[in-house]
Every structure is written in C-alpha cells, then in structure tokens.
Amino acid sequence: MASGVTVNDEVIRVFNDMKVRKSSSQDEVKKRKKAVLFCLSEDRKKIIVEEGKQILVGDIGDSVEDPYACFVQLLPPNDCRYGLYDATYETKESKKEDLVFIFWAPENAPLKSKMIYASSKDAIKKKFTGIKHEWQVNGLDDIQDRATLAEKLGGNVVVSLEGKPL
C-alpha cells in the first residue's frame, strides 16, 4: 500500500553523498554524514532530511565519542523515523563499511504515524539503490545493543563495530 508520500531531492542527495566514497580532501571527508535521520514534512506529504539530526564524520573523536550510541540518542522516543547509518565494522578477515537503512517505529509511537511511515517506506527505499542492509527497529531494547546491528551486518563474523569490540 503506497501512501502517496514523495521523497524530497535533498534526501536523495544526502544518500548519494553517503554512498559514494570518492577520494576527497580531509575537509570534505569531515563534512560527510556518518548518520542522518529523515522524517515526514509538516503536511505529511514529503520525506525530508530532519534538521539537526545527523552526525558528521568530522565530529567523531571531537564532539562525538561513540557514533553508534550518539545515533541511538538522536531517535525520538515517541515517533517514527527513517535513518541511514554508515557502519564501520571489522570481520575476522577485513574492515568494512556499509550503509544501513533503519526504519524506526517504537512501540509507543502514535498508530497513525506508524501507518504512514510504514506505507511510505517503499518510496524512500526505492530511491536508496544498492542498500544491502535494512533493519526495522521497534524500541530502544532492539537498537541499544550494538551486537544486534553487528548481527545484521554479518552475523557472528563481525568482531568490532565503530572500533569497539563486541
């Protein structure tokens, strides 16, 4: 069931910037988004980039100690969101980076909000070509433990996430 909600061009631009790993200057790398949240516009007709709900690569180690914990704190406790998280992790063989599309629908979000976000998910997912990992999260218990994300990324072969051993 489609909701008729459209995806703002800025959302697609943010996704493409996060997806493409072009060789860039240190300053450009610092401005790249590590994580970002998307929400519905006031009139609930568009998916937009949520103001101020992002983590930049340049913030890590500066104002952000643990990007994953910081991302979890960005999620609103009582409403739905879509998120993109650029996970950096290590397996026994190699270091990897993958974008994870997260559909945040906490138990105590209003039913109407859950319905419109759920029915609009395909609109945003279609724009995010090449996403390997999708994760629907229904509460803080599911997302606070980084081992759950590690499992989504590669099962038991993941040994660390964001430089923190599991």
Side-chain angles (χ1 to χ4, degrees), residues 3 6 8 17 33 41 47 49 51 55 59 64 72 83 85 93-94 102-103 118 121 133 138 141 145 147 155 163:
S3 62
T6 59
N8 184 314
D17 285 352
K33 289 174 183 27
S41 56
I47 296 170
V49 177
E51 271 313 300
I55 300 169
D59 294 341
V64 174
V72 169
Y85 186 80
E93 291 83 44
S94 63
I102 297 168
F103 173 37
K121 187 174 85 170
H133 307 285
N138 299 99
D141 291 349
D145 183 4

Side-chain angles (χ1 to χ4, degrees), residues 4 9 11 14 18 20 28 34 44 47 56 68 70 85 94 102 104 128-129 139 157 164:
D9 291 344
V11 170
V14 165
M18 286 177 77
V20 177
E28 287 171 326
K34 172 76 177 168
R44 294 190 171 273
I47 296 170
L56 299 179
Y68 185 71
C70 189
Y85 186 80
S94 63
I102 297 168
W104 170 250
F128 291 174
T129 50
V157 298
K164 305 226 184 292

Side-chain angles (χ1 to χ4, degrees), residues 90-109:
E90 236 174 294
T91 65
K92 291 174 180 94
E93 291 83 44
S94 63
K95 287 186 173 191
K96 296 182 175 191
E97 284 186 42
D98 277 329
L99 280 181
V100 181
F101 173 69
I102 297 168
F103 173 37
W104 170 250
E107 299 291 331
N108 44 356

Side-chain angles (χ1 to χ4, degrees), residues 4-160:
V5 169
T6 59
V7 179
N8 184 314
D9 291 344
E10 174 75 358
V11 170
I12 298 160
R13 197 182 61 69
V14 165
F15 167 70
N16 286 330
D17 285 352
M18 286 177 77
K19 183 175 83 168
V20 177
R21 305 242 192 280
K22 54 185 184 287
S23 56
S24 35
S25 71
Q26 271 308 108
D27 282 352
E28 287 171 326
V29 168
K30 284 182 176 175
K31 288 183 189 137
R32 204 171 79 218
K33 289 174 183 27
K34 172 76 177 168
V36 64
L37 291 183
F38 306 102
C39 62
L40 289 170
S41 56
E42 289 281 322
D43 61 8
R44 294 190 171 273
K45 292 196 180 348
K46 278 197 196 109
I47 296 170
I48 59 172
V49 177
E50 189 169 2
E51 271 313 300
K53 297 291 187 173
Q54 64 183 17
I55 300 169
L56 299 179
V57 171
D59 294 341
I60 298 165
D62 196 17
S63 58
V64 174
E65 260 326 292
D66 180 348
Y68 185 71
C70 189
F71 172 71
V72 169
Q73 288 171 351
L74 292 178
L75 297 167
N78 303 319
D79 206 0
C80 302
R81 288 296 183 270
Y82 305 112
L84 267 182
Y85 186 80
D86 190 358
T88 306
Y89 61 103
E90 236 174 294
T91 65
K92 291 174 180 94
E93 291 83 44
S94 63
K95 287 186 173 191
K96 296 182 175 191
E97 284 186 42
D98 277 329
L99 280 181
V100 181
F101 173 69
I102 297 168
F103 173 37
W104 170 250
E107 299 291 331
N108 44 356
L111 183 61
K112 188 174 183 181
S113 182
K114 285 190 211 177
M115 287 172 64
I116 192 160
Y117 271 86
S119 61
S120 306
K121 187 174 85 170
D122 273 357
I124 191 169
K125 253 184 58 189
K126 281 187 181 124
K127 304 289 183 186
F128 291 174
T129 50
I131 289 272
K132 284 194 268 184
H133 307 285
E134 181 187 333
W135 187 16
Q136 179 170 336
V137 185
N138 299 99
L140 283 173
D141 291 349
D142 297 346
I143 199 166
Q144 276 177 319
D145 183 4
R146 64 184 69 237
T148 315
L149 175 58
E151 205 172 284
K152 292 267 176 235
L153 293 166
N156 56 5
V157 298
V158 177
V159 292
S160 79

